[in-house]
Amino acid sequence: MKRWQKIVTICLLVISAILLIYQRNWVALIWEIGCAYFLFESYKWMDKCKEIVENYIKHIPVIDYQRQTKMLHCYRVNCERALRKMMMLKNLNKSLFRKIEELTKINLHQAEVIKNLKKKHNVE
């Protein structure tokens, strides 16, 4: 409810109370006082609810931003770890291929030596 609406409502209640006192209508005055109290409590409750909703709305983006930041940090750390592991495996793979190449050359050289020895000794 807007502020001017609250002021108009309160003014109307005061004017009505003054008229009821002037008319000496005490039962209606008691009812009006009860309604005014109920209206006052309703205004307090509406203001409190409005504050709660505003605080909740203010904190929602912050909470989501913090959660997203933490998730992105975890993703970055995991990617860095995976990249380091991939680089290590790539280097190991290169060295493994070099070793295989060296062993193949040694094996071919040994095969030639054995072949030459067999020719030399006429062994099949």
Side-chain angles (χ1 to χ4, degrees):
M1 211 172 189
K2 294 181 182 176
R3 184 182 171 108
W4 69 269
Q5 291 172 328
K6 289 180 183 179
I7 293 172
V8 169
T9 305
I10 291 169
C11 289
L12 288 174
L13 282 172
V14 169
I15 291 171
S16 177
I18 292 171
L19 289 175
L20 289 173
I21 290 171
Y22 180 74
Q23 293 174 354
R24 297 181 188 255
N25 191 349
W26 307 119
V27 175
L29 183 63
I30 291 173
W31 275 101
E32 187 172 344
I33 291 171
C35 290
Y37 177 74
F38 176 75
L39 189 64
F40 173 73
E41 290 295 321
S42 298
Y43 285 157
K44 279 186 2 184
W45 183 77
M46 285 190 318
D47 289 340
K48 191 179 287 187
C49 288
K50 184 179 176 184
E51 286 177 21
I52 291 171
V53 168
E54 286 174 356
N55 285 336
Y56 183 74
I57 289 172
K58 285 179 186 176
H59 287 82
I60 285 176
V62 173
I63 292 169
D64 289 342
Y65 176 74
Q66 289 173 348
R67 186 181 312 138
Q68 288 175 355
T69 304
K70 287 179 185 176
M71 287 174 58
L72 290 175
H73 177 71
C74 290
Y75 292 156
R76 185 179 59 83
V77 169
N78 289 340
C79 287
E80 287 175 355
R81 187 181 313 137
L83 183 62
R84 281 195 304 269
K85 196 170 197 172
M86 286 170 46
M87 294 301 290
M88 181 191 67
L89 291 172
K90 184 179 178 183
N91 291 336
L92 286 173
N93 201 14
K94 281 182 183 178
S95 66
L96 181 64
F97 277 114
R98 271 186 257 141
K99 291 287 183 188
I100 290 172
E101 207 172 283
E102 290 172 10
L103 290 173
T104 305
K105 286 179 184 177
I106 291 170
N107 196 12
L108 287 174
H109 179 66
Q110 287 177 348
E112 281 182 36
V113 169
I114 291 172
K115 187 178 178 183
N116 289 337
L117 285 174
K118 282 184 180 181
K119 278 185 186 178
K120 200 176 201 182
H121 296 291
N122 289 329
V123 180
E124 290 186 27

